[in-house]
Amino acid sequence: MDDQLFLAELAEKNGVTVVVQAQRRAHPAYRMVKEILAEVVGEYGIPVTYLDIHHSDGTWNMPWEFVSRDGHPYKYGYGKLLHSGYHFVDLFCWLTEVNRGCARPPDRLGLDVSAVDARGVDAQLTDAAYARLFGRERWGRFSGLPRPATVPEQLWGETDVVLLARLMHGPDVVTTAVLTLLQSSLSGRSRLELPEDTYKGNGRVRHERVTLQVGPLMAIRVDSCQDARPAGGRSPFDVVVYRNRGLIGGEAVSRVRMRTPDAAADAASDSLNDRAREEIFRDFLALDGRRSGLALHGTTVRVLAAAVAGVARAARGGSGRSVVALDPSVREWYRAE
């Protein structure tokens, strides 16, 4: 966190624009959701009371790959949070910025973390299960390789992590949020050997869902779930808005299937993400930090740092709980509990 403040202040002092590639800030579906939320929260003073973010990417590592892999590794003591978790911590922080317009805006965040590391995943699937899935003879050719269970002294990074967050105003909870970030989830992988493309050609299946509640007035659901075809399946991107029309008007239920002009509706998600990445990159080329400049990421960096520290403490038998100050001027911003 101190590094982020130092770099942001240094960039401002020297007239340098630093842009963070957090593409969901430019994603048309999430921009639409934030605009709807800001309108309702601003008019009625009722905050986003609940937020649930789920992301799973179906990264199925064979036991020995935890020991050998250097791309998106686990053997150095970190994992999902620093692989792709920043994007979803940022999505949480960015969407809940609308609560600044509510009657009692949050001033701090309480955080609790629960994680499963590579050793835990190794214990979830037995040798008998692998032999049943891949055949006893094929499995036998690999089963003697080093794996997390055979390296007990190693501190492994997390594959799956759940963050329970509470945005607070004084003693009261403004927003309850759950971030579920998984790598050991539904996969399209069906072979023991690694393909040449170990990133997206290894059966990764991306499921991304977001649910928000604005008290009794509104609920919004964002859903982008890819199917498990070997080469990567369809991934539509749907937004559904539910309104208490008797109080705030509008349609009781409105549905939008997002798409780009050059993408089929059932394959829109990857295209939309690519377009959003391109937009943020164009911001960088234009020296425009208004959407995702480094100075706008202070809260995200604080929450991510607290989450990573909580996972590390919990792995050593301590508590994963902490409190994070949201006021950017507060330098003593973190307290472990």
Side-chain angles (χ1 to χ4, degrees):
M1 179 60 198
D2 292 340
D3 291 340
Q4 183 266 339
L5 285 172
F6 171 75
L7 291 172
E9 291 170 357
L10 187 66
E12 183 178 11
K13 178 181 177 181
N14 290 279
V16 173
T17 301
V18 180
V19 175
V20 180
Q21 180 54 277
Q23 74 269 14
R24 283 164 183 80
R25 292 180 177 231
H27 195 292
Y30 289 121
R31 290 206 315 266
M32 179 181 71
V33 167
K34 190 173 184 183
E35 289 170 4
I36 293 170
L37 292 170
E39 181 180 350
V40 174
V41 171
E43 181 170 353
Y44 298 99
I46 297 175
V48 174
T49 51
Y50 177 77
L51 172 57
D52 181 2
I53 296 175
H54 170 104
H55 181 264
S56 56
D57 57 24
T59 303
W60 186 9
N61 294 279
M62 296 299 122
W64 56 88
E65 292 167 4
F66 287 114
V67 178
S68 63
R69 69 178 294 165
D70 282 305
H72 289 81
Y74 305 89
K75 61 184 178 182
Y76 301 120
Y78 64 88
K80 172 67 173 177
L81 279 172
L82 296 182
H83 292 172
S84 60
Y86 188 95
H87 292 290
F88 303 100
V89 173
D90 186 62
L91 181 61
F92 158 65
C93 294
W94 179 70
L95 286 174
T96 54
E97 286 176 352
V98 301
N99 283 348
R100 297 171 185 171
C102 73
R104 306 183 73 211
D107 52 42
R108 70 186 191 285
L109 176 141
L111 185 66
D112 197 0
V113 303
S114 176
V116 178
D117 66 8
R119 185 183 295 106
V121 170
D122 192 9
Q124 289 172 348
L125 275 72
T126 64
D127 281 2
Y130 282 114
R132 171 70 178 81
L133 292 168
F134 296 105
R136 189 169 302 280
E137 182 179 347
R138 289 181 64 206
W139 174 248
R141 296 200 298 268
F142 294 89
S143 60
L145 294 173
R147 56 197 290 179
T150 66
V151 192
E153 70 280 2
Q154 177 77 38
L155 181 63
W156 297 95
E158 75 284 352
T159 61
D160 310 317
V161 61
V162 178
L163 309 180
L164 174 61
R166 299 166 302 281
L167 290 169
M168 310 288 293
H169 179 95
D172 301 322
V173 176
V174 177
T175 306
T176 300
V178 181
L179 282 71
T180 303
L181 309 176
L182 309 176
Q183 291 191 310
S184 57
S185 55
L186 173 67
S187 173
R189 182 173 184 175
S190 59
R191 52 188 291 177
L192 289 170
E193 301 80 7
L194 281 171
E196 184 175 347
D197 176 8
T198 60
Y199 185 57
K200 289 196 173 181
N202 196 28
R204 289 182 62 191
V205 177
R206 183 186 52 76
H207 281 190
E208 184 171 329
R209 300 191 303 273
V210 178
T211 301
L212 304 105
Q213 303 280 348
V214 184
L217 300 184
M218 176 179 287
I220 300 177
R221 181 179 175 90
V222 179
D223 200 324
S224 177
C225 292
Q226 189 178 38
D227 63 39
R229 300 179 189 185
R234 296 174 299 174
S235 51
F237 208 107
D238 298 324
V239 180
V240 186
V241 182
Y242 304 86
R243 297 177 179 85
N244 183 335
R245 63 182 301 180
L247 293 177
I248 64 174
E251 298 180 37
V253 182
S254 55
R255 293 180 172 85
V256 179
R257 172 154 287 192
M258 306 296 295
R259 60 180 297 172
T260 60
D262 55 352
D266 65 356
S269 180
D270 289 340
S271 179
L272 289 166
N273 274 320
D274 289 343
R275 287 288 186 91
R277 290 188 190 97
E278 182 179 330
E279 284 198 36
I280 296 295
F281 183 64
R282 289 183 182 277
D283 286 352
F284 166 71
L285 294 178
L287 305 180
D288 185 353
R290 289 175 295 176
R291 267 197 295 203
S292 196
L294 180 61
L296 302 177
H297 283 256
T299 301
T300 301
V301 172
R302 289 186 176 191
V303 176
L304 183 72
V308 171
V311 168
R313 287 198 312 276
R316 293 175 172 87
S319 169
R321 295 189 297 274
S322 60
V323 177
V324 177
L326 299 179
D327 183 345
S329 67
V330 176
R331 294 303 175 113
E332 299 294 327
W333 58 271
Y334 172 78
R335 185 180 80 249
E337 292 193 330

